[in-house]
Amino acid sequence: MKGGRSLLLDVGPLFGRMTLRLETVKRWLLELQSGQDWLQCVVGVDRCFVVAIKCALCSKHKAKLEGLRNFSPAFINGIEGNSLKKDNVKKHFQSEMHQKASALDKLASRDHDLPSAMAQTAEESHLNRLFDLAYTVAKLGLPLVDFKTLARLELRHGVDLGPAAMTEQKCRQYIDYIGRATKIELIQAIQEAPYFSVAVDGSADPTMPENGMIYVLYVDRTGLPCVRFFGFCDVERVHPECLRRTVLDLFLEEGVNLEGKLVGCMADRGTIRTNVAALLQGDMPYLVSLGCASHRLEMAVKKVFYGTAFDSVNEMFFVLAKLYWACPSQLEELRALARVMQEVDTKPQQANGTRWVQHRLRATRALLQTYPMVICNLANMSVQTTLPKEKAIFQDCLKSLRSVSFVLHLLFFNETLEPIAKLSSLLQNSNVDLLYTASLVVKFYSTLEQLSRGIPQGTLGEVFKDTVKDPQTVFFNGTRLHCGAEAARAFREKLPSYAAAISECVLPRFEAMHQMEPVRCLKILQAELWPDDPAELENYGNAELQAFSRHFAKLLALNQVDVTKLLEEWEQFKWYRAESLANMSSRQVWQHVLTRERAQFLNFRHVVQILHCFPVSSVVLERGQAAVSRMMAVAGGRMFPRTLEYLTRIALEGPELDFFDPQAAVSLYCFEHMGSFIESAGRRTSLSTFSGDESPSTFSGDESSPPRKKTCFSSVECAGD
């Protein structure tokens, strides 16, 4: 085992055909960078081909490993034949069993005397503080170079940070370990979850190569749906098979097999220019593929108002925002008028942004609130200015704002966008209730039905009635409007067509989603809507459950679910819920089933878990892309992909600074650097080691070497070893 070479054993031809070269196995060992000699190669008589591979560490500590949950004797007895693959060796190297054996071997080789143990404790205390500083830099989105500044400040306040160099490189290393510890916890959670779904989104910048963000949706230990950032997906070529293979390999590298666990897939085809879900459905026909409901709504509404009279309203939003946002003096005049007129102190809002509906509604409300002040301010500026071009712009704005047509379209904007904005806001949540969404769509259509009959409501209806009653004396917010009768008549004639256009654009996008057989099965989860009458409850949901069983037949079979007992357990649960869980909400009911009644409803719980994994909204991916853009801007556009992934995970999902516990990351760091602890840790009294060079006198460990490969093990268990 010593000398840096693997143990070779000579055997005869009894092992059969030999096709794996010894040089190939040695290359595998170098790629793994284990730092230990653990691979035993059984070679043939010619000493060129490998016929079997064993793990020396697992064989040595077999007695202590047999109690592990994932114990396997494969590498203890030796793998051979078709099992001689790099993937099998890599999986064993990353397994909990091998990491446990590696930790036992390292501990056995060290002399744990009292001074060494005390030095290790002091070093861990220093690392906890350093990891806290690195996490602060990452969470606040600061440049990594600020780590040195924060460390200097801590030393000035008398905090003992140990003798390790405190540089940007060190900060990046600490962040990597924090990210790896979090990734290990995420992988374990996904492996424990029976089902999960995937959402993929690419970069919105067309000049950038395909670099997709991947999120996973699964049910956690508490029985609630959870959305987590998984990692980045680098696509070398925008080719269907290449993209499908990339997504599959990304999960297989972490030891997660998609078959038998993947329920749904959502991909933004605007940025990932291939339908990933359709490619995966070739192997998994049961896969649920839903477009982002929020994007469906945004695109539908934007399409309705494009190329109509509402373009003049959008143009007015742009002109006023440019006028008051670009010139502070004009904005101050507007606010002075608001104080004099005792109106709300606000300013015109910009209507451009990612969320079309929310930005238009915000701009509409702001203009309605500031309407009298804007009219007065524009009138003053048109008189005071001496520039012909500015005077023409101000007068055109006044003419448009005082027209009946503009005010009616502005009020219609506000009337229709308000319910759409509520629906859009709901669809931007991580977990979207599709059935509740459908009920909001129905409520929205009742409003459209009134408008289609030419019956405007609210302020819109009042202005419209005044226009019909006396077109020459129509006032809105104290301002007299012009061109009343003709404009009101034209608006009333177009009102039904506006409502019909909105209905025709929005309804098909949601109706197609709601008519999908898997989506209709979500009716089962709405416990509040179950009938109270026992006769109606008896057959409630049976048809949906049978449709569910047909659609997910293959997935249920892979997880050994007895489909014949699903209907029986469903009937039992309906009566159990009516008798024992009637006062609970739907969320509490299913959380109770998935945590406390797992054994009682052994097959039906799979139905609940699958339905909770339906991907509906990809808004969380937009927030992730925004965070990536901010971090790349701070880093000047250059950053290691691995560090970017870890920084993204910390920014999106990391706890607040007061609640961060660095122990898991420190344990992982200490585990991979065993034998590198400082023998005597003294308090630093100077700032002489804040350079990029690390001399042997300041730190005696090999910390400049790159971090080793990710390992799928619990850092808490390793720390306890």
Side-chain angles (χ1 to χ4, degrees):
M1 294 289 291
K2 303 296 182 183
R5 294 182 297 177
S6 301
L7 181 61
L8 305 180
L9 303 177
D10 292 334
V11 296
L14 56 110
F15 282 92
R17 188 177 181 183
M18 297 171 288
T19 58
L20 181 61
R21 289 186 172 275
L22 180 61
E23 290 78 5
T24 304
V25 180
K26 291 180 178 179
R27 188 171 67 252
W28 294 353
L29 201 58
L30 289 175
E31 291 177 2
L32 292 175
Q33 299 178 352
S34 64
Q36 291 175 297
D37 296 330
W38 60 276
L39 210 59
Q40 286 183 339
C41 299
V42 182
V43 299
V45 291
D46 55 1
R47 299 181 62 83
C48 293
F49 293 93
V50 177
V51 295
I53 293 177
K54 297 182 178 181
C55 178
L57 295 181
C58 293
S59 300
K60 179 180 178 181
H61 301 285
K62 177 182 177 181
K64 297 182 179 180
L65 300 175
E66 288 178 334
L68 291 178
R69 179 185 61 179
N70 298 324
F71 174 78
S72 172
F75 273 80
I76 295 177
N77 299 331
I79 61 171
E80 56 186 52
N82 294 331
S83 299
L84 293 173
K85 298 178 181 178
K86 176 183 177 181
D87 188 51
N88 290 335
V89 174
K90 183 178 180 181
K91 286 181 179 178
H92 176 74
F93 174 72
Q94 295 176 340
S95 67
E96 176 189 5
M97 171 181 164
H98 180 78
Q99 298 301 328
K100 196 86 171 182
S102 178
L104 291 171
D105 197 66
K106 285 184 178 182
L107 289 173
S109 63
R110 296 190 59 204
D111 181 19
H112 288 276
D113 55 352
L114 183 59
S116 177
M118 293 178 63
Q120 177 174 342
T121 303
E123 175 64 15
E124 289 184 358
S125 177
H126 299 154
L127 287 172
N128 279 323
R129 297 164 186 161
L130 293 171
F131 273 70
D132 260 331
L133 290 177
Y135 184 83
T136 301
V137 171
K139 188 64 178 176
L140 298 180
L142 303 176
L144 301 187
V145 71
D146 287 357
F147 175 76
K148 181 190 297 186
T149 304
L150 293 177
R152 287 177 181 270
L153 184 62
E154 291 284 75
L155 289 176
R156 189 194 307 171
H157 293 161
V159 179
D160 184 11
L161 299 178
M166 299 168 194
T167 61
E168 180 181 350
Q169 291 76 18
K170 276 294 178 185
C171 180
R172 181 181 296 109
Q173 186 182 33
Y174 297 149
I175 290 173
D176 285 355
Y177 275 99
I178 295 171
R180 287 177 59 192
T182 310
K183 184 69 173 285
I184 289 170
E185 180 269 326
L186 172 62
I187 295 300
Q188 289 178 340
I190 296 175
Q191 289 174 337
E192 292 175 1
Y195 306 100
F196 66 90
S197 291
V198 172
V200 186
D201 191 12
S203 172
D205 187 353
T207 63
M208 297 290 290
E210 289 289 342
N211 186 13
M213 291 188 73
I214 296 184
Y215 276 75
V216 290
L217 166 64
Y218 64 94
V219 179
D220 60 16
R221 295 178 180 177
T222 64
L224 296 175
C226 180
V227 181
R228 299 280 299 275
F229 170 60
F230 186 82
F232 291 109
C233 169
D234 296 324
V235 183
E236 297 178 359
R237 295 180 295 114
V238 185
H239 184 272
E241 183 58 29
C242 176
L243 184 57
R244 185 186 74 89
R245 195 69 254 166
T246 302
V247 174
L248 291 175
D249 289 346
L250 187 66
F251 282 91
L252 289 176
E253 286 177 2
E254 303 294 350
V256 179
N257 188 8
L258 297 182
E259 188 175 7
K261 294 175 73 74
L262 188 62
V263 172
C265 179
M266 176 182 291
D268 187 351
R269 299 184 196 175
T271 49
I272 295 291
R273 290 174 285 276
T274 307
N275 192 349
V276 185
L279 300 174
L280 294 174
Q281 282 174 340
D283 301 325
M284 294 168 276
Y286 50 81
L287 200 68
V288 177
S289 175
L290 298 173
C292 177
S294 179
H295 290 169
R296 287 171 181 258
L297 181 65
E298 293 282 336
M299 290 186 292
V301 177
K302 187 176 181 179
K303 182 180 178 181
V304 169
F305 294 109
Y306 181 76
T308 64
F310 294 96
D311 286 346
S312 62
V313 179
N314 287 324
E315 182 66 23
M316 183 60 66
F317 291 154
F318 174 77
V319 172
L320 293 179
K322 185 177 180 180
L323 177 65
Y324 290 106
W325 284 66
C327 186
S329 60
Q330 292 174 348
L331 179 61
E332 185 58 35
E333 290 181 10
L334 183 68
R335 287 177 169 171
L337 281 172
R339 290 191 292 270
V340 172
M341 301 171 67
Q342 297 182 352
E343 297 286 350
V344 178
D345 185 7
T346 184
K347 63 179 179 179
Q349 296 292 318
Q350 295 183 355
N352 297 325
T354 304
R355 291 292 157 195
W356 193 93
V357 173
Q358 269 83 10
H359 282 83
R360 290 302 187 282
L361 181 61
R362 191 181 302 117
T364 301
R365 288 175 174 173
L367 181 54
L368 289 174
Q369 289 178 351
T370 60
Y371 184 82
M373 289 88 73
V374 169
I375 292 289
C376 185
N377 185 239
L378 288 175
N380 292 337
M381 289 189 294
S382 65
V383 174
Q384 295 172 0
T385 184
T386 58
L387 300 176
K389 187 175 181 180
E390 283 189 357
K391 183 183 288 288
I393 293 175
F394 295 151
Q395 290 177 349
D396 287 343
C397 289
L398 281 172
K399 183 178 180 180
S400 297
L401 288 170
R402 287 171 173 169
S403 68
V404 169
S405 176
F406 178 86
V407 172
L408 289 175
H409 284 87
L410 180 67
L411 292 172
F412 181 84
F413 231 21
N414 185 64
E415 187 79 17
T416 54
L417 288 182
E418 188 169 354
I420 296 177
K422 292 180 180 179
L423 181 60
S424 177
S425 178
L426 173 71
L427 294 175
Q428 292 175 36
N429 295 331
S430 299
N431 302 312
V432 179
D433 188 337
L434 282 180
L435 294 181
Y436 180 59
T437 301
S439 67
L440 287 181
V441 173
V442 172
K443 190 179 297 184
F444 170 63
Y445 278 111
S446 65
T447 304
L448 289 181
E449 188 177 353
Q450 292 179 345
L451 294 175
S452 64
R453 294 199 303 265
I455 310 175
Q457 303 292 321
T459 308
L460 175 62
E462 294 175 3
V463 174
F464 188 81
K465 290 177 182 177
D466 292 343
T467 305
V468 174
K469 184 177 179 181
D470 187 1
Q472 303 302 323
T473 58
V474 180
F475 288 86
F476 175 69
N477 283 355
T479 301
R480 184 174 179 177
L481 305 182
H482 304 301
C483 304
E486 252 181 69
R489 194 179 307 110
F491 176 79
R492 181 159 191 170
E493 291 175 357
K494 292 182 179 179
L495 194 60
S497 64
Y498 290 154
I502 297 175
S503 177
E504 290 173 2
C505 278
V506 175
L507 179 60
R509 295 176 185 268
F510 285 91
E511 189 176 31
M513 176 188 292
H514 194 61
Q515 288 180 352
M516 293 177 63
E517 191 172 73
V519 174
R520 290 205 306 270
C521 300
L522 290 168
K523 173 183 177 181
I524 296 174
L525 298 183
Q526 288 285 18
E528 290 94 345
L529 302 181
W530 292 5
D532 297 328
D533 186 7
E536 296 179 6
L537 184 62
E538 184 176 359
N539 295 320
Y540 183 82
N542 292 359
E544 285 76 15
L545 186 60
Q546 291 173 355
F548 177 91
S549 302
R550 289 193 303 269
H551 184 86
F552 292 102
K554 183 178 179 180
L555 180 62
L556 296 173
L558 289 172
N559 288 276
Q560 300 178 350
V561 178
D562 191 349
V563 183
T564 60
K565 294 184 179 180
L566 279 180
L567 197 59
E568 178 184 346
E569 293 185 9
W570 167 236
E571 295 291 344
Q572 293 175 359
F573 178 75
K574 284 189 290 187
W575 298 116
Y576 172 72
R577 184 256 172 187
E579 295 175 0
S580 304
L581 310 177
N583 296 327
M584 290 187 179
S585 64
S586 292
R587 176 177 178 176
Q588 293 171 333
V589 166
W590 303 122
Q591 191 176 7
H592 181 83
V593 171
L594 296 177
T595 55
R596 300 183 182 181
E597 303 293 344
R598 294 169 59 91
Q600 184 175 351
F601 303 100
L602 196 60
N603 297 287
F604 180 67
R605 66 179 175 86
H606 287 268
V607 177
V608 180
Q609 288 168 330
I610 291 174
L611 291 177
H612 274 94
C613 290
F614 277 17
V616 178
S617 176
S618 62
V619 176
V620 65
L621 281 84
E622 293 181 1
R623 300 179 186 130
Q625 291 287 2
V628 171
S629 300
R630 290 195 301 270
M631 286 181 286
M632 292 299 292
V634 171
R638 294 183 298 175
M639 189 178 294
F640 294 116
R642 181 183 60 188
T643 303
L644 179 61
E645 176 185 335
Y646 297 151
L647 284 172
T648 304
R649 181 167 287 109
I650 292 172
L652 296 176
E653 302 173 358
E656 295 301 323
L657 299 178
D658 294 339
F659 299 98
F660 172 65
D661 183 7
Q663 190 56 51
V666 172
S667 298
L668 179 59
Y669 179 92
C670 294
F671 173 77
E672 295 194 353
H673 291 77
M674 278 185 179
S676 300
F677 295 108
I678 304 172
E679 294 303 324
S680 58
R683 182 183 297 271
R684 188 195 304 277
T685 56
S686 68
L687 306 178
S688 60
T689 56
F690 278 92
S691 63
D693 301 328
E694 297 175 22
S695 61
S697 61
T698 58
F699 195 76
S700 59
D702 185 19
E703 290 196 21
S704 60
S705 61
R708 300 190 178 98
K709 304 281 273 187
K710 298 188 189 73
T711 52
C712 295
F713 63 95
S714 172
S715 56
V716 177
E717 290 181 3
C718 294
D721 289 339

